Amino acid sequence: MTKIDVLLGLQWGDEGKGKGVDVLTPEYDVIVRFQGGPNAGHSLEFEGRKHILHLIPSGIFHANKINIIANGVVLDPVIFKKEILALENVGVDARKALKISRKAHLILPFHPLLDAVSEHSKGEFKIGSTLKGIGPAYRDKIGRDGIRVGDIETSNIRDLYFRARSKYDAILQPVKEHYQLERREEEFFESLKKLQEFEFIDSEYYIHKLASENRKILAEGAQGSLLDIDFGSYPYVTSSNTICGGACTGMGVPPSMIGNVLGIAKAYCTRVGSGPFPTELHDETGQRIREIGNEYGSTTGRPRRCGWLDLVALKYAVMLNGVTHIILTKPDVLDAFDTIKVCTHYKIDDHITQNVPYSVDSCIEPIYETLPGWKTTLKSFRTKAELPQNLIRYKEFIEHYLNVPISYISVGPGRDEIIKVL
Ligand code: GDP
Ligand code: IMO
Ligand code: MG
């Protein structure tokens, strides 16, 4: 039985998971999304085109691969249909390659409304949600009020839907016209037809069968470890377990079946939405990273907050996930920097620590080590031998701190802009 490798984000999302999965897909037979939903925006670039996937696994552009949306995902059929049509537009017929778990929960038309109402009521304490209905959909799942993909085959979905909606009548009544709930509902029921063109599977059995046949499986995470519902900076988190444990529950596989855990991290940090960010740069350096790195959200277009690499937080993520290898992305964004800072400790009051405290708020003062920049354009390099000495030094500093090897360094958004360094 082959073990399942997991690729997941180690920071606040947008580390380059889409690209990482796309690059590694040739080594695998099967790509599985295991949590999150259309709050994700995974970018892939090849042949001069950029594609952004929200729900569909990032292996979809490779021929003869199986892609699975597993039970841990929350699926919005309207967004799913749009994504399928966008793929058809570029000549990809996903019906052959994509299978969907019957146990995945549906994002219902009122879930994004509940997100909007909740965010509005929080005022300055809002989460900065993508407003895709992720929190309310997972809440209904956990509250045992959800509707699953498999219900489309076995039940009268309209009856189930209106029963599920009635629980929220009091909240929805004042806002439903403003948010055009009826139009959304029509779109939702219509979009289910597209969903039904796909094969619904008992994905836990299917994945175990593939593994027993020694098919190579890569599980694709969404968001990042610092947005995890248990271990992120709660309540400024998403509503699923983004860490490796979420891959087990999100696919129905035991921990003993997990093989390599490929943690992906940017050479600096970004965060979109609210919440603590100890190494955030509010100055022109932050602005410079944002502009060079094109740090604007793939799902919402919002500017991403930018800051230096936070090794304290990264080490926490490595611990939570049992990371075996790191994929480092976007060092090319720092090509022109004279010096690069990395946070190695937090100072909280008079106390210096390498642990992420219970409450990550503004009382954390990051302590930095300053490393020399490489002042070289990395984009065209394809071999380890070409890498400048100061980038090697940066890489080794990170490896030494985390005690995990870096296996790939990505030097641009394109599929071929990556260097195997292990
Ligand atoms: P994901 O959510 O983790 O898949 O990441 P996103 O796609 O939301 O954001 C990553 C962005 O960085 C995308 O625009 C990618 O095309 C881009 N990207 C990925 N790797 C690199 C890299 O090594 N260098 C540069 N400059 N851009 C990259
Ligand atoms: P990918 O997979 C970056 C953030 C939102 C917000 C918080 C909660 O592309 O890395 P939610 O919509 O889940 O209610 O939002 O989480 N967030 C992400 N940030 N990348 C993502 O996904 C994200 N998905 C959610 O900005 O702060
Ligand atoms: Mg993203």
Side-chain angles (χ1 to χ4, degrees):
M1 166 119 33
T2 343
K3 296 210 173 194
I4 297 175
D5 292 343
V6 182
L7 183 148
L8 42 73
L10 297 179
Q11 295 159 323
W12 285 284
D14 303 329
E15 299 90 347
K17 297 175 290 295
K19 172 181 169 168
V21 171
D22 179 48
V23 166
L24 293 175
T25 296
E27 295 177 23
Y28 292 89
D29 303 304
V30 187
I31 308 297
V32 189
R33 262 288 299 272
F34 60 85
Q35 48 69 234
N39 48 351
H42 293 182
S43 319
L44 295 78
E45 270 190 53
F46 51 88
E47 292 158 13
R49 282 184 98 137
K50 180 169 180 161
H51 307 271
I52 300 181
L53 298 170
H54 301 284
L55 278 163
I56 295 172
S58 300
I60 199 70
F61 291 101
H62 293 262
N64 306 320
K65 304 290 175 186
I66 300 171
N67 289 265
I68 299 173
I69 296 179
N71 58 284
V73 172
V74 284
L75 188 153
D76 183 329
V78 177
I79 294 177
F80 178 81
K81 180 177 171 183
K82 284 189 189 139
E83 244 182 289
I84 292 298
L85 295 179
L87 286 175
E88 281 174 15
N89 267 337
V90 293
V92 177
D93 180 355
R95 276 173 305 188
K96 296 184 198 123
L98 178 64
K99 299 172 194 308
I100 303 168
S101 173
R102 292 194 172 90
K103 294 191 174 72
H105 277 246
L106 293 174
I107 296 182
L108 303 172
F110 57 83
H111 285 142
L113 270 67
L114 295 175
D115 242 351
V117 170
S118 163
E119 283 285 74
H120 184 72
S121 72
K122 288 188 162 97
E124 63 170 309
F125 300 106
K126 71 173 189 201
I127 311 281
S129 167
T130 61
L131 302 177
K132 301 293 177 193
I134 305 297
Y138 276 119
R139 200 162 62 211
D140 274 347
K141 171 179 176 175
I142 302 302
R144 296 159 296 179
D145 286 319
I147 302 180
R148 299 185 290 175
V149 167
D151 294 331
I152 300 169
E153 295 172 317
T154 58
S155 308
N156 181 328
I157 205 77
R158 280 180 188 265
D159 287 352
L160 285 184
Y161 174 75
F162 287 107
R163 211 184 310 151
R165 196 188 76 173
S166 64
K167 199 175 67 158
Y168 295 108
D169 274 349
I171 305 174
L172 295 174
Q173 195 55 37
V175 295
K176 66 184 199 191
E177 253 175 60
H178 178 75
Y179 287 110
Q180 301 182 312
L181 182 56
E182 265 181 41
R183 181 189 57 73
R184 286 166 185 264
E185 288 170 346
E186 275 166 37
E187 234 183 338
F188 171 79
F189 289 117
E190 181 60 34
S191 69
L192 294 180
K193 291 182 198 151
K194 186 49 106 187
L195 194 59
Q196 284 173 292
E197 290 175 14
F198 289 79
E199 188 185 352
F200 298 167
I201 56 170
D202 296 322
S203 55
E204 63 282 31
Y205 278 114
Y206 195 83
I207 291 167
H208 277 263
K209 184 166 180 293
L210 290 168
S212 71
E213 291 166 354
N214 289 326
R215 308 290 287 275
K216 289 199 74 191
I217 303 174
L218 179 65
E220 173 181 4
Q223 291 79 55
S225 303
L226 305 177
L227 288 169
D228 181 89
I229 183 72
D230 282 282
F231 300 102
S233 43
Y234 193 90
Y236 300 100
V237 293
T238 191
S239 296
S240 64
N241 279 117
T242 59
I243 60 168
C244 193
C248 293
T249 55
M251 296 189 289
V253 301
S256 56
M257 265 174 76
I258 301 296
N260 288 328
V261 180
L262 313 170
I264 187 155
K266 277 181 194 171
Y268 49 91
C269 284
T270 63
R271 177 165 200 168
V272 60
S274 336
F277 181 175
T279 61
E280 181 169 15
L281 291 163
H282 299 279
D283 56 7
E284 58 194 36
T285 307
Q287 182 64 19
R288 191 173 168 206
I289 294 176
R290 178 158 42 251
E291 292 314 319
I292 302 174
N294 191 25
E295 295 295 356
Y296 294 89
S298 312
T299 298
T300 57
R302 292 177 292 177
R304 295 177 183 146
R305 300 154 65 194
C306 298
W308 295 120
L309 185 65
D310 183 343
L311 287 178
V312 177
L314 201 52
K315 200 173 175 90
Y316 184 55
V318 163
M319 175 186 85
L320 294 169
N321 290 297
V323 171
T324 58
H325 301 80
I326 290 194
I327 300 172
L328 186 73
T329 62
K330 305 188 92 165
D332 54 293
V333 172
L334 306 176
D335 277 354
F337 283 58
D338 294 327
T339 53
I340 295 163
K341 288 189 180 182
V342 285
C343 167
T344 56
H345 297 79
Y346 290 163
K347 188 171 177 203
I348 304 168
D349 301 323
D350 283 333
H351 174 65
I352 291 183
T353 178
Q354 285 190 315
N355 286 354
V356 174
Y358 173 71
S359 170
V360 185
D361 55 27
S362 53
C363 68
I364 290 181
E365 186 192 323
I367 298 181
Y368 291 108
E369 187 109 5
T370 303
L371 301 176
W374 39 90
K375 310 280 284 178
T376 311
T377 305
L378 300 176
K379 198 173 169 61
S380 61
F381 294 161
R382 294 291 175 271
T383 61
K384 190 179 173 188
E386 290 168 288
L387 293 179
Q389 200 49 44
N390 283 349
L391 176 60
I392 298 283
R393 193 168 157 188
Y394 190 69
K395 165 185 171 287
E396 287 174 353
F397 189 91
I398 297 169
E399 291 177 319
H400 185 251
Y401 189 100
L402 301 175
N403 200 22
V404 179
I406 292 177
S407 57
Y408 284 95
I409 298 183
S410 171
V411 291
R415 186 183 264 176
D416 59 330
E417 290 170 331
I418 192 146
I419 304 169
K420 193 165 189 175
V421 290
L422 199 62

